[in-house]
């Protein structure tokens, strides 16, 4: 899980939550690029510890680099979790749950560098909306109930088996 939190003077903190095979590479890259003060590696978090990080976050990041394995469209549990938490999302691959969803930014699914300016513009757009971040969070959670809640997702299966 990766999230962004805006800091003072236009800078951002990038939180990387979890463990996995890419973690060592990410830490080396962070150090090499001298970004250690902006990238926080949190390790594995669950429950209240994970909620604390979510509550500090402004934007969630999902599904980057999938062009490397030939994936053009995806549906992930991570995005469903972000939506349930009420998080705006930036993704690098078409995410089925985010089709026609105004609180997401889809960046190109290719090997070009992510355009941080587009993410900053997305953040600025969100922060200028009249409903404020609390209202956006509520709208996103309501969207999640309609699109990715287990009751909704299971409807086609229930219909098929005759429930």
């Amino acid at each position: 899980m990766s999230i962004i939190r805006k800091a003072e003077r236009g800078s951002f903190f990038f939180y990387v939550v979890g463990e996995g095979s890419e973690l060592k590479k990410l830490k080396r890259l962070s150090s090499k690029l001298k970004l250690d003060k902006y990238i926080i590696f949190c390790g594995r978090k669950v429950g209240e510890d994970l909620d604390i990080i979510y509550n500090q976050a402004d934007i969630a990041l999902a599904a980057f680099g999938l062009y490397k394995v030939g994936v053009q469209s995806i549906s992930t549990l991570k995005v469903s979790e972000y939506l349930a938490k009420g998080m705006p999302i930036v993704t690098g691959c078409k995410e089925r749950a985010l089709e026609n969803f105004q609180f997401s930014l889809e960046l190109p699914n290719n090997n070009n560098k992510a355009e941080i300016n587009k993410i900053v513009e997305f953040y600025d757009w969100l922060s200028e909306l009249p409903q404020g971040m609390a209202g956006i969070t509520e709208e996103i959670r309501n969207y999640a109930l309609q699109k990715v809640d287990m009751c909704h997702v299971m409807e086609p299966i229930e219909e098929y088996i005759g429930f």
Side-chain angles (χ1 to χ4, degrees):
M1 177 182 97
S2 303
I3 56 173
I4 297 175
R5 179 176 59 90
K6 186 155 180 121
E8 295 177 15
R9 295 187 217 122
S11 61
F12 291 84
F13 289 101
F14 180 67
Y15 289 78
V16 179
V17 180
E19 299 171 346
S21 60
E22 295 295 311
L23 189 58
K24 286 181 185 178
K25 292 178 195 175
L26 290 173
K27 286 182 176 181
R28 280 195 303 268
L29 186 60
S30 172
S31 182
K32 178 182 175 183
L33 297 174
K34 297 181 176 31
L35 295 172
D36 292 331
K37 68 180 182 178
Y38 300 105
I39 301 175
I40 296 95
F41 294 96
C42 303
R44 183 176 184 271
K45 299 289 181 191
V46 296
E48 289 180 19
D49 292 335
L50 182 57
D51 286 338
I52 289 169
I53 294 170
Y54 271 127
N55 291 337
Q56 294 176 359
D58 294 307
I59 298 174
L61 304 176
F64 288 87
L66 293 176
Y67 67 92
K68 296 175 186 176
V69 293
V71 174
Q72 297 303 315
S73 180
I74 194 166
S75 182
T76 64
L77 186 56
K78 180 188 300 187
V79 165
S80 296
E81 182 177 352
Y82 290 158
L83 291 171
K85 292 291 186 181
M87 305 272 319
I89 299 169
V90 176
T91 182
C93 184
K94 184 175 293 300
E95 169 67 51
R96 290 180 201 107
L98 301 178
E99 291 177 7
N100 302 315
F101 179 65
Q102 67 175 335
F103 302 118
S104 67
L105 172 65
E106 182 183 321
L107 298 175
N109 183 16
N110 58 35
N111 66 348
N112 295 342
K113 293 181 180 177
E115 297 178 45
I116 192 70
N117 290 339
K118 287 187 178 183
I119 298 172
V120 172
E121 289 170 9
F122 178 61
Y123 176 87
D124 289 343
W125 173 77
L126 289 167
S127 64
E128 293 170 2
L129 291 174
Q131 65 267 49
M133 289 308 286
I136 291 169
T137 297
E138 184 178 338
E139 284 186 50
I140 295 171
R141 286 181 176 154
N142 288 335
Y143 176 88
L145 287 172
Q146 299 301 312
K147 295 290 184 180
V148 298
D149 183 75
M150 192 56 68
C151 293
H152 174 74
V153 172
M154 294 299 291
E155 282 176 359
I157 296 168
E158 290 174 352
E159 288 175 17
Y160 179 78
I161 60 176
F163 277 158

